[in-house]
Amino acid sequence: MTTSPARAASFAGEIKQQSYQLKRFKYNSHYWILKFLSEANRPLRILEVGTADGYFGAILKEQGHYVAGVEREEALAMKARHHYDSFYQADIEEFDFPFRDGFDYILFADVLEHLRDPAAVLRRSLPALKRNGEVVISVPNVANFTVRLSLLFGMFNYANRGILDKTHLRFFTLSTIKNLLQESGGRIVEVVPSPIPVQLVLPVTEKRMFYPLHEFNYFVTRLFRGLFAYQFVMRARAMH
């Protein structure tokens, strides 16, 4: 099957039209983040940086975790704060993380690509972790084949959401996000790729009959993650 240049250029743009909300299908970034947290099998202290309207914090709170949140946008913060045990409306770029050894996990879910200086933010956040605590990060993969194909035809078109979200200030490949974590004082524990979310572009594929398609999509993404990953989700610990 061939992909036209126009289709490749618009694929991420179609995904961006979806509003920020919990992604419920298998192997997406939220799936992996919740899986990582569930492996602890105990109540956790979690700091979510960039809460949006609190859709993720609401789930974590319901699961019995202590959840703190940080969000810059006032309208979103007003919607989110009641889902959290403690909440800070603040510019993440300037937030001083006034905690020490306080959290089992700090979440940066789809956040770092929106920051001017993500390394500085990560560096300030790490002391807030307990000794064996972890940061969990998800970032889009700008080296995804749809972007590469678009570039081949001279296109780098921004849209409302997705890999080329027009609000993104930074772009990451697997190599550059690894370097960023290491430069910030982090030690990578695990990296998993998430496949292109076909379900968002073609909702009909959410039906059970399409499950084999999604399993194959993820299989290929794991084999060639630098090329086919839509996002990378990773766990890292502070280097002591």
Side-chain angles (χ1 to χ4, degrees), residues 7 10-25 28 30 52-53 55 110 114 159-163 165-168 196-206 230-231:
R7 180 59 177 162
S10 65
F11 196 91
E14 294 173 0
I15 294 170
K16 294 172 190 177
Q17 301 304 318
Q18 309 296 322
S19 61
Y20 279 102
Q21 57 188 336
L22 182 71
K23 294 174 278 190
R24 299 184 181 278
F25 45 87
N28 70 77
H30 293 166
D53 64 4
Y55 61 87
D110 305 332
H114 296 275
N160 294 323
R161 195 178 172 196
I163 295 175
D165 187 323
K166 61 188 176 184
T167 67
H168 290 178
I196 284 180
V198 177
Q199 297 93 327
L200 293 183
V201 180
L202 300 172
V204 67
T205 64
E206 293 183 0
Y230 181 70
Q231 288 183 289

Side-chain angles (χ1 to χ4, degrees), residues 101-115:
D101 305 316
F103 293 97
D104 298 290
Y105 288 93
I106 301 176
L107 308 183
F108 290 93
D110 305 332
V111 168
L112 297 184
E113 61 270 25
H114 296 275
L115 303 181

Side-chain angles (χ1 to χ4, degrees), residues 35-95:
K35 188 175 187 299
F36 291 159
L37 299 178
S38 69
E39 290 172 356
N41 201 29
R42 60 183 173 84
L44 301 166
R45 290 180 60 86
I46 300 168
L47 173 63
E48 183 185 6
V49 181
T51 66
D53 64 4
Y55 61 87
F56 211 63
I59 293 173
L60 298 175
K61 183 68 175 172
E62 187 175 320
Q63 291 177 345
H65 303 302
Y66 174 93
V67 191
V70 184
E71 172 57 47
R72 180 183 63 182
E73 300 297 335
E74 182 178 3
L76 292 174
M78 289 179 65
K79 293 180 179 180
R81 62 174 65 249
H82 70 277
H83 295 303
Y84 296 81
D85 294 282
S86 59
F87 195 87
Y88 303 82
Q89 184 186 338
D91 185 341
I92 296 168
E93 299 270 13
E94 300 176 359
F95 190 61

Side-chain angles (χ1 to χ4, degrees), residues 126-139:
L126 292 179
L129 289 170
K130 295 180 180 179
R131 178 164 184 79
N132 292 317
E134 297 179 351
V135 291
V136 179
I137 293 165
S138 64
V139 293

